[in-house]
Amino acid sequence: MRNIEVTVGRTGVLTPTAVFDPIFLAGTSVSRASLHNGDIIANLGVGIGDTIKVRKAGDIIPEVIGVVHHPENAEPYRMPTACPSCGAPVVHLEDEAALRCVWECPAQSLRNIIHFASRDAMDIDGLGTAVATQLVEKDLVHSAADLYDLTLEQLLTLEKFKEKSATNLLHAIEN
């Protein structure tokens, strides 16, 4: 295993993912696998540099299920004590295995906006991950409600946005 990346979801949950050299698993090339949460990491004793065992849960999602070999002097990985997005202290809520960032940080805002605009929610055509990322990074939106205050001028500051695409996005948001 080369690394462990920790991302923040829309509810603030920190999710660790193992990153490793590509392997062929159940018909596909895989180079990332879920570690689920800090408790799983601790139970498996997973550390960076370990040789890990990976399977596809439900034949779809790669997950780490064991450690085959620890390098000499290897130390188990420890989950961060601060949010990787905003730096706020993370909390371990009672009865939950997950760590959470309880602040409305940029990563949560981005995930919330992506979810809000998705096909299963408001189905806003033209507002995918790339556009949502730009909107958050340029500090144009902090929540889904801010989408309704966007102007043509603001959208024209986004990469690959011309008047037609900006107008189309404004109409999609309005619809």
Side-chain angles (χ1 to χ4, degrees):
M1 181 170 53
R2 298 251 180 236
N3 196 12
I4 295 176
E5 294 178 353
V6 179
T7 56
V8 182
R10 67 184 175 89
T11 61
V13 171
L14 275 62
T15 304
T17 301
V19 180
F20 46 87
D21 293 333
I23 59 170
F24 198 70
L25 180 65
T28 60
S29 179
V30 175
S31 60
R32 302 169 61 81
S34 177
L35 283 162
H36 301 287
N37 58 55
D39 289 349
I40 300 285
I41 291 173
N43 289 340
L44 295 174
V46 175
I48 295 171
D50 287 354
T51 302
I52 55 174
K53 190 184 287 188
V54 179
R55 74 168 180 189
K56 281 195 176 176
D59 293 327
I60 298 172
I61 301 170
E63 67 177 346
V64 176
I65 58 169
V67 175
V68 177
H69 173 73
H70 294 290
E72 233 179 272
N73 301 323
E75 292 189 24
Y77 180 81
R78 303 261 183 255
M79 287 291 286
T81 57
C83 175
S85 175
C86 70
V90 296
V91 297
H92 193 183
L93 299 176
E94 197 173 320
D95 299 328
E96 280 192 7
L99 290 174
R100 284 185 187 270
C101 176
V102 293
W103 304 100
E104 184 68 24
C105 69
Q108 287 181 63
S109 296
L110 176 60
R111 300 284 189 288
N112 279 323
I113 291 164
I114 291 168
H115 175 72
F116 181 82
S118 72
R119 189 172 296 145
D120 292 336
M122 297 301 288
D123 195 17
I124 300 174
D125 191 35
L127 184 51
T129 301
V131 173
T133 300
Q134 287 190 70
L135 291 171
V136 171
E137 286 177 352
K138 290 186 177 263
D139 212 25
L140 296 175
V141 297
H142 300 96
S143 70
D146 294 336
L147 293 172
Y148 297 99
D149 294 326
L150 286 171
T151 65
L152 181 68
E153 293 75 26
Q154 289 173 314
L155 292 178
L156 290 174
T157 67
L158 302 181
E159 286 180 30
K160 299 181 181 176
F161 262 71
K162 301 291 183 217
E163 192 161 334
K164 177 122 175 103
S165 53
T167 302
N168 286 346
L169 180 55
L170 288 173
H171 283 91
I173 292 168
E174 186 178 315
N175 289 336

